[in-house]
Amino acid sequence: VLLVEEREGLGGLFTYGWLNFLDMNYGPQHELLTRGTFLEFYKRIGKSPVFDVEEAKGIFQDMVSSHPNIALSLNTRLVEPLLQGEKLVGIRVKRDGQELNLYAERFIDASADADLAAAAGVPYTVGAEDMGEPSRCQAATLIFQLGNIDWETLTAAVKGGQFEGTKINERAAWGFAQLGKKYQPSTPRLRLRGLNVARQKDGSVLINALQIFYVNGLEEASKKEALELARKELPAITSFLKKNLPGFEKAELLGSAPELYIRETRHIKALYQLDINDVVFNRYFPDAIALGSYPVDVQATSPQDTGYVYGRPVVYSIPFRCLVPVRVENLLVVGRSAGYTHLAAGSARVVPVGMATADAAGVACAHSLKT
């Protein structure tokens, strides 16, 4: 197996978007539904839904480098697919300033936006295009880091009932919906929703709360503009939290993630599109290859809406057909851009589910070559 990664390291959204608060998927007996590679990672971080970003980088690197069957090619960018008719036979990449042709018998597109599939000619929709609204995509987020936080003071305030619907433990706090509503952003394109606050081992916290609207996650210029817009807002947000959140009186802005947290772009057209009814009515498919239970959390798509939770499934399955594009042979697509509808992706987009689909794709490729 050759793992091709355009970044300088592994971990993707977890380590470059700083999404360090896991979207867990549990069954009715609180059993973990996403096993395999995700379970291995989860054990390595101490079976905690919050992890340290720098530690995670090392764990992912070790998980790959210690595997005898994986070769890793970092800083390697996809240039174009190499096709024979509709059969994918290779990819042209650029590494160290040189273009290389890489050939294989099977390909798995695990890029966030299904870049290889799209370039190879797999049809797709964008955002809510399957509902007739292609311009609607879930809001992007910039996760930022604050230091000098008094966690004991924050804990006392939350447990004392100062913030309705908010919870806290030793590693994380989440809720604060009313606090977010009080913040007045400099532009309608930004919103501070409820806070997800996750502690790092150095005592700092990473905060997932700043929504950015009208970001085209498929255009580098749009992402760059949104990143700059959000970063300019962070000093004002820091000042607001210092005044309004107990334990944050001496907070210091330490920085922000190098990449945006993009929740939605393409949805490839697969042999089957996972639908909202499949998710909320807990459908089990004969070709099920992954399980999920995360709420159907469709984040706001514009300043005019607040996002919706369309349902809370018990356990639903994802069929193998969702990974198989309707066009292009020798290719499977995993992660948030697999064959999901806009609404179903509200649940299926989360990373642990994506890791489970990726495990299934790996097994399918190996099995197909043997049999």
Side-chain angles (χ1 to χ4, degrees):
V1 176
L2 175 63
L3 180 58
V4 177
E5 168 60 66
E6 68 176 358
R7 300 178 181 90
E8 61 187 359
L10 299 170
L13 178 58
F14 281 171
T15 53
Y16 288 84
W18 291 2
L19 184 67
N20 73 324
F21 203 140
L22 297 172
D23 296 322
M24 302 298 291
N25 289 256
Y26 294 112
Q29 307 302 319
H30 203 68
E31 70 274 26
L32 185 62
L33 299 177
T34 45
R35 308 285 179 92
T37 302
F38 174 73
L39 179 57
E40 183 182 348
F41 172 70
Y42 188 55
K43 286 177 177 176
R44 295 279 291 266
I45 59 171
K47 291 187 175 182
S48 168
V50 172
F51 61 86
D52 187 88
V53 167
E54 288 304 314
E55 183 180 39
K57 285 182 181 179
I59 289 171
F60 281 125
Q61 183 66 40
D62 184 64
M63 286 172 69
V64 169
S65 61
S66 62
H67 201 293
N69 293 339
I70 300 179
L72 177 62
S73 183
L74 296 173
N75 298 302
T76 307
R77 182 175 58 83
L78 174 69
V79 175
E80 63 180 352
L82 303 174
L83 295 156
Q84 290 179 356
E86 289 195 341
K87 180 180 179 181
L88 186 63
V89 297
I91 56 173
R92 181 166 293 138
V93 299
K94 193 166 188 176
R95 185 178 68 194
D96 300 328
Q98 288 186 310
E99 288 196 357
L100 306 166
N101 289 347
L102 305 173
Y103 296 93
E105 293 189 70
R106 299 288 184 270
F107 296 84
I108 300 170
D109 185 346
S111 63
D113 305 311
D115 291 326
L116 174 58
V122 173
Y124 58 86
T125 58
V126 176
E129 186 177 353
D130 59 354
M131 299 166 60
E133 299 191 60
S135 62
R136 293 178 73 89
C137 281
Q138 295 184 59
T141 287
L142 177 65
I143 295 173
F144 58 96
Q145 183 179 29
L146 298 179
N148 294 334
I149 306 301
D150 185 339
W151 198 256
E152 289 186 7
T153 298
L154 179 64
T155 300
V158 171
K159 292 190 173 179
Q162 194 166 333
F163 300 96
E164 185 180 347
T166 297
K167 297 182 179 180
I168 194 167
N169 58 36
E170 291 183 0
R171 294 295 305 274
W174 60 100
F176 306 100
Q178 296 305 314
L179 179 68
K181 287 179 181 177
K182 283 178 59 179
Y183 181 73
Q184 297 296 316
S186 63
T187 165
R189 284 189 60 201
L190 299 174
R191 178 192 291 157
L192 195 68
R193 41 139 246 219
L195 313 180
N196 282 356
V197 185
R199 297 179 81 189
Q200 297 290 272
K201 289 193 171 179
D202 62 4
S204 67
V205 297
L206 298 182
I207 299 180
N208 172 1
L210 179 58
Q211 293 180 323
I212 316 157
F213 300 110
Y214 308 131
V215 182
N216 185 342
L218 299 175
E219 288 186 3
E220 289 303 318
S222 179
K223 289 191 287 185
K224 182 180 179 182
E225 183 271 338
L227 193 64
E228 292 173 355
L229 179 70
R231 282 178 174 159
K232 286 180 183 176
E233 192 78 10
L234 294 181
I237 293 173
T238 304
S239 297
F240 172 80
L241 295 176
K242 289 171 75 168
K243 294 174 185 174
N244 293 279
L245 196 55
F248 280 62
E249 291 85 359
K250 297 180 181 179
E252 177 187 358
L253 178 62
L254 300 180
S256 58
E259 295 181 14
L260 291 175
Y261 170 15
I262 302 289
R263 291 181 175 86
E264 183 178 36
T265 53
R266 296 184 178 106
H267 303 288
I268 67 143
K269 291 193 175 181
L271 295 185
Y272 186 83
Q273 299 299 120
L274 189 74
D275 184 74
I276 182 67
N277 292 314
D278 300 326
V279 175
V280 297
F281 293 114
N282 305 299
R283 188 169 180 193
Y284 190 83
F285 293 90
D287 58 334
I289 46 83
L291 301 174
S293 65
Y294 193 72
V296 186
D297 178 19
V298 179
Q299 298 271 318
T301 58
S302 74
Q304 285 72 50
D305 74 83
T306 55
Y308 304 94
V309 174
Y310 286 90
R312 299 180 183 276
V314 180
V315 181
Y316 67 91
S317 67
I318 294 172
F320 179 67
R321 287 165 291 159
C322 286
L323 314 185
V324 185
V326 294
R327 195 182 305 154
V328 181
E329 294 294 316
N330 281 349
L331 175 66
L332 297 174
V333 181
V334 301
R336 66 166 168 79
S337 292
Y340 311 140
T341 63
H342 167 70
L343 294 180
S347 172
R349 65 182 169 85
V350 298
V351 180
V353 171
M355 292 172 81
T357 63
D359 279 344
V363 170
C365 287
H367 181 69
S368 72
L369 290 170
K370 285 180 181 176
T371 62

